[in-house]
Amino acid sequence: MARIVMKFGGTSMAGIERIRNVARQVKREWAKGEQVAVVVSAMSGETDRLVNFCREASPLYDAKEYDVVVASGEQVTSGLLAIALQAIGVPARSWLGWQLPIRTSDAHASARIATIDTEALNASLASGEVAVIPGFQGQTEEGRVTTLGRGGSDTSAVAVAAAMKADRCDIYTDVDGVYTTDPRIVPRARKIPKITYEEMLELASVGAKVLQTRSVGLAMKEKVRVQVLSSFGDPDAEPTPGTFVVGEDEIGEGQVEQQLITGIAYDRNEAKITLVAVPDRPGAVASIFNPLAEASINVDMIVQNVAHGTGSTDVTFTVPGAELARSLDVLEKARETIGYEKLVPDTEVCKISVVGVGMRSHAGVAATMFQALAGRGINIQAITTSEIKVSVLIHQDYTELAVRVLHTAYGLDAEDAA
Amino acid sequence: MARIVMKFGGTSMAGIERIRNVARQVKREWAKGEQVAVVVSAMSGETDRLVNFCREASPLYDAKEYDVVVASGEQVTSGLLAIALQAIGVPARSWLGWQLPIRTSDAHASARIATIDTEALNASLASGEVAVIPGFQGQTEEGRVTTLGRGGSDTSAVAVAAAMKADRCDIYTDVDGVYTTDPRIVPRARKIPKITYEEMLELASVGAKVLQTRSVGLAMKEKVRVQVLSSFGDPDAEPTPGTFVVGEDEIGEGQVEQQLITGIAYDRNEAKITLVAVPDRPGAVASIFNPLAEASINVDMIVQNVAHGTGSTDVTFTVPGAELARSLDVLEKARETIGYEKLVPDTEVCKISVVGVGMRSHAGVAATMFQALAGRGINIQAITTSEIKVSVLIHQDYTELAVRVLHTAYGLDAEDAA
C-alpha cells in the first residue's frame, strides 16, 4: 500500500464531464488499495472570473477579501469531485483549507504554507476514504482565508504530500511530461523520464510552464517525489509514465550514460535595456541597480561592456518584459545620479538556456553552445551561467533556430522523429 | 446609535455595479453612526448554477458536499461587498459562517441555525467596522459547512439580528413592501405600513413571496422588528419606508381604525384530489392520509362531502402541485386498503386566502367572503379557516376576479388608484 497525492489542474476540472473523468482516474489508484489524497484547482477560467470581480469592485482591493472571493473556485471543485467519486462507489470527502487546517503566513494573495495538520487527514485516509483538498488556499493563525498566489495548487499538492509523507505526488496536467525542449519547436524533442529538482527549477524559471517554480523548490526541500503526467489518457487504464522529478541520487539508477544536458528552455518575455556611456567610476553600477531594486524590479542578465577608453562604459541588462515601462521610468528619474548618455530599450530578445546537472563534471558545455550558435551566425548579446545552467540572450528572430541547433548539438534529438 | 441588520437578495447583488450600489446604501446608514451588519445572498442565478453542477455530478449527491459547493456563492458576494465598501471609505470585513461561527444543526442542505457567536462580531461593530455576513450558510458542531435551504438568507439576517440584539432588520428586496394583494392583479392594492408576524406568516405561506416563511417565524419567536423595503431607490437618499413586520402590540399605535383584513393572497400551485365513494366507516380517513404522511406529502385543505346515503362518502383534499404525481401513485397503491371507487385529480384550482388579526374580534369575515364570491357566480370547492385566515378553493379561471372582488369587499382599495 502506498500513499499518493494526485493533483489535477484547471483544464482537468473544467466542467462536470471532466471532473467525472478525474474521478475515474482517482478510483483507478484507490482500487489498488492506495491511500489517496487529491488536490484540485478551480475550473479553468474561474479564478480569472473571480479576480476580475475583485478588480472591478476596486482596483485597490483588500487582499484579505480578495482571498475570500478567489478561494471559492477550488471550494466548488473539491465538493464536486467528492460527489463524483461517491457516485462511482468511492468514499470521499472534501477538506477545505480551514478544515484540516492548512496554516499559512498572513501574506494574503501570496501566502506561504507553514504547517498542515494531518491528524484528521490521516484518520480519513486510514478509513479508506479519498481526501479531496482544494489547492491554492489555507488560513492564517487568526482564521482568515488565504491563497497562495496564481498557480499555487501545485505547491499545495507538494505540501500535502510532504505533510502526509506520501510516496509520490502525481501532478496530472495537459502535457504528458517534461520534454528536452518545446516539442512545438523541435519535433524530435524527447520526454525526460527523470529530472533532478535543481534542473526542473532552472527549467521552470526560464520558461517551461509545466510546474510552478515554488512547488519544485518545496519538493526539493521536503524530498517529495513528483511525477508530471497527462490527465487526458484512458482514465481507467494504467497511465503512461510521465516525468519524475527526484533527487540527484535517484537519477543514475538504470541509466547507462548520464546526459550532459537535460533540457533547453527559451523565454521571450525578457526585455533588454542598455545604458550608453555610464561614467566608469566606483559606485556607478550601484547607482543603476539600487533604484530598480527599490522598485522591486528583478534584474536578470547583466553585462558591463568594454570601456570606450573615454572613462565611460555601456551597461546592458534584462528585466521582465512586463516591467520594462516601469524600469525605464525609474531609470529616467535617476538619470542625473547615474549620469548615462542614452537609454536604449530592446524587446526583440530571447533568452535561451541549456540546463543539466551533468555540466558540473564536464567542461566545454558553454563552448559547445557558443560554437553551435556561431556556426549559424547567431550573435550572442549577453551570457549568464549557474552551476547547472548556461543562458544566452539572442535576437528573438533566431529563437527556433537556436533551440533546434542546440538540441542537436547536445545529442538530445530522439532517434525516431515523432 | 442603533444597531441594524441590512439584508440584500440576489437581484441586488447581481454584478459589481449593483454591489457598488448596495455599498452606497450601507454607507448611508453607517454614516449616521449606526452599527451595521449586512447579510448578503449570492448573485442571482449563481446558486442555481452551483446546484446544477451538483445534480450533474450525481443526481443522488451527498448533501454535505452540496453544501460545500453552494455555500461558495455567498462567500464570493460577501468578499466583494467588503471590497466595494472599503473603496468608498467604509471599514468593512467579511465574516464567513465558520468564522463567526454560525452554528447549525447537521441537517445538510436544510440546516437550522442553533447559535451565533457574537463576541468577534460585537467587537468588530464596536470598532465602527461594517460586518458583511454571507447568508444561507453555517457550520455544524464538527466544523462542516451547512446551508439553510433555498431562500435561507432572510433567515440568516433575522438570526443575526436576534443574536446581536439589533433594533431593526431591514430586508432590501425588489419590491418596496408588502401589499394588500398582488398589485399586478389589483392596481389599487396598497402597501401595508405595518403587519403582524402572524399575518405575514399566513400571507407568506399562501403565496406572497416577499419573505421566506421560516424567517418570519424566527422573527416572531425572537421579536425581531423586520422591515421589507426596496433596494432600487437612490442609494444615497433616505429610503421610502417599506412594510414593518412587528408584534401585535405595535400595530395599534397611530392607527385610528384597525383593518379587519390586512391582505389577500392566492396560490395556484395546489392540486385537488377527490376520492369518490370511500366506505363511510371508522378509520377510512386515516387509511387515506397515513400513507400520504409517510411519503412526506403535505395535505392542506380537506373536505369530507355529504354521504351518498349508500354507506360511502367523497373525500376531497389538496396537495402541493409538485407532489400530485407522487400523491396519485401513493393512493393508487393504497386503493385496496382505502376501498375508493375512483380517483379524480384536478390542477385547475386556486386557493384564495384573506388574512387579518382583526378577524379575531369581528364576526362575519367568512360570510362577507362567501357572499362576495357568490355575487359573481364563483363556486367554492373547499374551505379552511384559522384564527386569522379564511381560505377557499375555487376554479383557477376565477383567480383574478375573486381577488379583485374581495379586495373591494373588505375595503382595501386605495382611494387614488395607481
Side-chain angles (χ1 to χ4, degrees):
Chain A
M1 185 211 71
R3 310 191 92 182
I4 61 171
V5 171
M6 304 173 75
K7 187 260 166 180
F8 293 89
T11 321
S12 312
M13 301 299 288
I16 300 298
E17 260 328 301
R18 293 199 180 166
I19 291 176
R20 269 207 208 99
N21 192 61
V22 165
R24 284 163 66 189
Q25 300 187 62
V26 172
K27 182 176 188 174
R28 181 192 67 222
E29 300 299 319
W30 171 84
K32 294 179 194 166
E34 318 289 38
Q35 290 190 355
V36 184
V38 189
V39 175
V40 296
S41 296
M43 294 190 192
S44 84
E46 181 65 6
T47 305
D48 284 340
R49 188 176 81 102
L50 296 166
V51 169
N52 284 338
F53 278 148
C54 293
R55 289 197 183 131
E56 265 188 84
S58 169
L60 300 168
Y61 53 76
D62 178 4
K64 295 188 190 75
E65 300 298 343
Y66 164 96
D67 280 351
V68 168
V69 174
V70 299
S72 68
E74 283 74 13
Q75 176 169 336
V76 168
T77 47
S78 61
L80 291 175
L81 180 58
I83 290 174
L85 282 166
Q86 294 173 2
I88 54 173
V90 180
R93 77 154 278 195
S94 61
W95 293 92
L96 302 181
W98 55 271
Q99 287 175 325
L100 281 174
I102 296 177
R103 284 197 200 283
T104 71
S105 69
D106 57 5
H108 285 277
S110 59
R112 303 200 143 257
I113 295 178
T115 60
I116 298 181
D117 201 321
T118 52
E119 199 183 313
L121 180 62
N122 282 335
S124 163
L125 293 172
S127 76
E129 204 172 53
V130 169
V132 183
I133 301 168
F136 180 58
Q137 65 177 240
Q139 71 163 352
T140 63
E141 201 61 54
E142 301 81 45
R144 299 218 55 178
V145 177
T146 52
T147 65
L148 309 184
R150 296 304 294 269
S153 290
D154 285 350
T155 304
S156 299
V158 171
V160 167
M164 65 183 254
K165 299 187 186 10
D167 297 283
R168 205 169 74 237
C169 178
D170 287 345
I171 310 275
Y172 287 82
T173 177
D174 45 8
V175 296
D176 66 350
V178 180
Y179 276 71
T180 48
T181 194
D182 186 341
R184 288 169 302 180
I185 290 184
V186 182
R188 298 179 75 139
R190 287 182 295 108
K191 187 162 74 183
I192 306 169
K194 281 184 186 175
I195 188 171
T196 65
Y197 299 120
E198 292 85 349
E199 290 168 328
M200 192 66 225
L201 264 183
E202 292 286 9
L203 286 175
S205 62
V206 293
K209 303 277 181 285
V210 180
L211 282 178
Q212 204 213 4
T213 311
R214 264 170 76 190
S215 70
V216 182
L218 184 63
M220 178 160 74
K221 178 167 162 280
E222 300 285 346
K223 298 188 174 41
V224 174
R225 297 184 76 232
V226 173
Q227 183 183 193
V228 176
L229 69 177
S230 170
S231 68
F232 292 113
D234 174 356
D236 305 319
E238 193 59 24
T240 311
T243 297
F244 278 90
V245 188
V246 293
E248 215 170 317
D249 49 323
E250 209 188 308
I251 288 287
E253 295 171 17
Q255 281 187 264
V256 178
E257 198 180 11
Q258 169 84 42
Q259 288 285 350
L260 187 61
I261 291 301
T262 304
I264 300 173
Y266 63 94
D267 183 4
R268 287 195 183 101
N269 297 317
E270 300 229 346
K272 185 177 75 164
I273 298 174
T274 301
L275 275 67
V276 178
V278 177
D280 190 10
R281 55 168 168 73
V285 172
S287 72
I288 298 170
F289 296 110
N290 282 349
L292 291 169
E294 274 161 26
S296 299
I297 295 166
N298 269 324
V299 172
D300 182 14
M301 310 174 99
I302 302 177
V303 183
Q304 187 169 346
N305 293 11
V306 182
H308 291 212
T310 59
S312 75
T313 178
D314 290 357
V315 178
T316 297
F317 55 87
T318 61
V319 295
E323 303 283 10
L324 178 62
R326 223 154 56 82
S327 304
L328 294 177
D329 187 50
V330 166
L331 293 169
E332 285 289 0
K333 282 179 184 146
R335 180 166 201 153
E336 279 191 32
T337 329
I338 306 171
Y340 59 86
E341 206 167 83
K342 221 166 64 178
L343 199 55
V344 185
D346 182 1
T347 56
E348 305 248 288
V349 293
C350 179
K351 184 167 75 168
I352 311 280
S353 305
V354 301
V355 172
V357 289
M359 70 174 77
R360 281 207 200 109
S361 47
H362 285 77
V365 168
T368 302
M369 188 174 194
F370 304 154
Q371 197 177 340
L373 295 175
R376 294 306 187 100
I378 300 170
N379 190 34
I380 295 173
Q381 305 180 10
I383 303 168
T384 53
T385 61
S386 79
E387 206 189 2
I388 63 166
K389 180 183 76 172
V390 182
S391 302
V392 296
L393 198 71
I394 61 170
H395 193 283
Q396 211 166 71
D397 289 352
Y398 295 93
T399 305
E400 292 83 357
L401 177 62
V403 171
R404 269 187 230 115
V405 163
L406 293 174
H407 202 264
T408 304
Y410 289 110
L412 293 174
D413 292 349
E415 278 166 29
D416 47 339
Chain B
M1 187 209 68
R3 310 192 91 182
I4 60 171
V5 171
M6 303 172 77
K7 187 262 170 181
F8 294 89
T11 319
S12 312
M13 301 298 289
I16 300 297
E17 260 328 300
R18 292 198 181 168
I19 291 176
R20 268 206 210 101
N21 193 61
V22 165
R24 284 163 65 188
Q25 300 187 61
V26 172
K27 182 176 188 174
R28 181 192 66 222
E29 299 300 319
W30 171 85
K32 293 178 195 165
E34 318 289 36
Q35 291 191 353
V36 185
V38 191
V39 174
V40 296
S41 297
M43 292 189 194
S44 84
E46 181 65 7
T47 305
D48 284 340
R49 187 177 81 102
L50 296 167
V51 169
N52 285 337
F53 278 147
C54 293
R55 289 198 182 130
E56 265 188 83
S58 170
L60 300 168
Y61 54 75
D62 177 3
K64 293 188 190 75
E65 300 298 343
Y66 164 96
D67 280 350
V68 168
V69 174
V70 298
S72 68
E74 281 74 12
Q75 176 169 333
V76 168
T77 46
S78 62
L80 290 176
L81 180 57
I83 290 174
L85 282 166
Q86 293 173 4
I88 54 173
V90 180
R93 76 155 280 193
S94 62
W95 293 92
L96 302 181
W98 55 272
Q99 288 176 324
L100 279 174
I102 295 175
R103 285 197 200 284
T104 72
S105 69
D106 57 4
H108 285 276
S110 59
R112 302 201 144 256
I113 295 176
T115 60
I116 298 181
D117 200 321
T118 52
E119 200 184 312
L121 180 63
N122 282 335
S124 163
L125 293 173
S127 77
E129 204 173 51
V130 169
V132 184
I133 301 169
F136 182 58
Q137 65 177 242
Q139 71 164 353
T140 64
E141 200 62 54
E142 302 81 44
R144 298 217 55 176
V145 177
T146 51
T147 65
L148 309 184
R150 295 305 294 267
S153 290
D154 284 351
T155 304
S156 298
V158 171
V160 167
M164 65 184 254
K165 300 188 182 11
D167 298 284
R168 206 169 74 235
C169 178
D170 286 345
I171 310 275
Y172 287 82
T173 177
D174 45 8
V175 297
D176 66 349
V178 180
Y179 276 72
T180 49
T181 194
D182 186 340
R184 288 167 304 180
I185 291 185
V186 182
R188 299 180 74 138
R190 286 183 296 108
K191 187 161 76 182
I192 306 169
K194 281 184 185 175
I195 188 171
T196 66
Y197 300 120
E198 292 84 349
E199 290 168 327
M200 191 66 226
L201 264 182
E202 293 285 8
L203 286 175
S205 63
V206 292
K209 302 280 180 282
V210 181
L211 282 178
Q212 202 212 6
T213 310
R214 262 170 79 191
S215 70
V216 182
L218 184 62
M220 178 160 74
K221 179 167 162 279
E222 300 285 345
K223 299 188 174 40
V224 174
R225 297 183 76 231
V226 173
Q227 183 184 193
V228 176
L229 69 177
S230 170
S231 68
F232 293 112
D234 174 356
D236 306 317
E238 194 57 24
T240 310
T243 297
F244 278 89
V245 188
V246 293
E248 212 168 321
D249 49 325
E250 210 188 307
I251 287 285
E253 295 171 17
Q255 282 188 264
V256 178
E257 198 179 11
Q258 170 82 44
Q259 289 284 352
L260 187 60
I261 291 300
T262 304
I264 299 173
Y266 63 94
D267 183 4
R268 288 194 182 103
N269 297 316
E270 299 228 347
K272 185 177 76 167
I273 297 174
T274 302
L275 276 67
V276 178
V278 177
D280 191 10
R281 55 168 167 74
V285 172
S287 72
I288 298 169
F289 296 110
N290 282 348
L292 290 169
E294 275 160 28
S296 300
I297 294 166
N298 269 325
V299 172
D300 181 16
M301 308 174 99
I302 303 176
V303 183
Q304 186 168 347
N305 294 10
V306 182
H308 290 212
T310 57
S312 74
T313 179
D314 290 356
V315 177
T316 296
F317 54 88
T318 62
V319 295
E323 303 283 11
L324 178 61
R326 223 155 56 81
S327 304
L328 294 176
D329 187 53
V330 166
L331 293 168
E332 285 290 358
K333 282 177 184 148
R335 179 166 201 151
E336 278 192 31
T337 329
I338 307 172
Y340 60 86
E341 206 165 84
K342 218 167 60 176
L343 197 55
V344 185
D346 181 0
T347 56
E348 306 248 288
V349 293
C350 179
K351 184 167 75 167
I352 312 278
S353 305
V354 300
V355 173
V357 288
M359 72 175 74
R360 282 208 200 106
S361 47
H362 285 78
V365 170
T368 303
M369 188 174 194
F370 304 154
Q371 196 176 341
L373 295 174
R376 294 305 186 101
I378 301 169
N379 191 33
I380 296 172
Q381 305 180 11
I383 302 167
T384 52
T385 61
S386 79
E387 205 189 1
I388 63 166
K389 180 183 76 173
V390 182
S391 302
V392 296
L393 198 70
I394 62 172
H395 193 283
Q396 213 165 69
D397 290 351
Y398 294 93
T399 305
E400 290 82 358
L401 177 62
V403 171
R404 269 185 231 118
V405 163
L406 293 173
H407 202 263
T408 305
Y410 288 110
L412 294 175
D413 293 348
E415 275 165 32
D416 47 341

